[in-house]
Amino acid sequence: EILRDAKIMKGSKDKHEDIVSRMRFAKFSQLAEISLIFLILNLVGVFAVQLSLLGENSDEFGSLTWMESLYWAVQTTTTIGYGDVSTPPTLRWFMIVYLGLSTHFVGSAFGKLRDLSQKLESMQNLYLWQQQDATYTMLADFSGRPENEGGRKTM
C-alpha cells in the first residue's frame, strides 16, 4: 500500500518534487474528506431541527433561526452539548441517533488523522530509503560478517 501511495518510480526526473506533491495530495484529500463529512452531518442536524419546528408551537420553544440550528448541530456533532438550546421533544429519537453518529464521526476523524500521519511518515521513509546509495559500510553491515580492528573482513 505504501509503495502504491508513494508511487516513486525509477527514472523519475525529480523524485523529491514527486513525493512532495503526493504527500500534499494525501493531506488535502484526507482533510477534505473529514471536512465534507463534518459539513454533511451538520447540515442533516440543521435541517432536522428546522423540520421538527414546523409543526411545533413557536411560543413553547421559540423559533430557532437557521444560525441557532447550526449552532446546535455543531455542538452536538463535536459532542460538546452545552444544553443552552432547547429542542422539541419530537426530536428525542433523532438526537439519540444523531449523537451516536456524531460520536462515531469524531472518533473516526481522529483515527483518520492518525492514519494520515503514519502514511506520510511511511512515504517519507520509503523516499529516504530509496535515495540512499550503497556504501561499503552499509554492505558490510548487511553481510553479517564481523569486522576486525583494521576495518577489513575476516574470512
Side-chain angles (χ1 to χ4, degrees):
E1 179 183 348
I2 296 168
L3 289 172
R4 180 178 51 82
D5 290 335
K7 290 186 183 172
I8 300 174
M9 298 177 210
K10 302 280 184 193
S12 170
K13 289 184 180 179
D14 190 6
K15 290 181 184 179
H16 178 71
E17 189 175 304
D18 186 44
I19 192 68
V20 168
S21 67
R22 294 196 188 282
M23 289 174 74
R24 190 175 298 130
F25 177 75
K27 284 183 208 176
F28 175 76
S29 63
Q30 195 75 5
L31 293 175
E33 179 184 349
I34 291 170
S35 299
L36 182 65
I37 293 171
F38 182 75
L39 177 69
I40 290 171
L41 196 58
N42 283 316
L43 288 176
V44 166
V46 167
F47 284 112
V49 169
Q50 287 298 314
L51 286 174
S52 71
L53 290 175
L54 289 177
E56 295 293 327
N57 186 1
S58 63
D59 296 336
E60 189 177 338
F61 294 100
S63 61
L64 290 176
T65 64
W66 286 93
M67 225 30 206
E68 290 170 330
S69 296
L70 178 65
Y71 172 73
W72 174 86
V74 170
Q75 275 186 354
T76 306
T77 302
T78 57
T79 66
I80 294 173
Y82 292 122
D84 56 345
V85 177
S86 61
T87 54
T90 56
L91 270 182
R92 184 172 294 135
W93 288 106
F94 172 77
M95 289 189 300
I96 291 171
V97 172
Y98 188 74
L99 186 57
L101 284 173
S102 300
T103 304
H104 172 73
F105 166 75
V106 169
S108 174
F110 283 129
K112 286 179 181 185
L113 290 174
R114 180 198 44 134
D115 290 345
L116 175 64
S117 174
Q118 289 175 346
K119 180 191 251 184
L120 293 176
E121 185 178 340
S122 297
M123 288 171 71
Q124 188 176 26
N125 288 340
L126 178 64
Y127 170 75
L128 292 173
W129 176 257
Q130 289 182 344
Q131 294 303 310
Q132 290 180 346
D133 291 327
T135 63
Y136 288 113
T137 308
M138 284 175 61
L139 294 174
D141 289 343
F142 288 132
S143 70
R145 288 187 247 156
E147 289 188 32
N148 63 9
E149 300 285 327
R152 297 180 57 161
K153 295 281 184 193
T154 55
M155 305 268 177

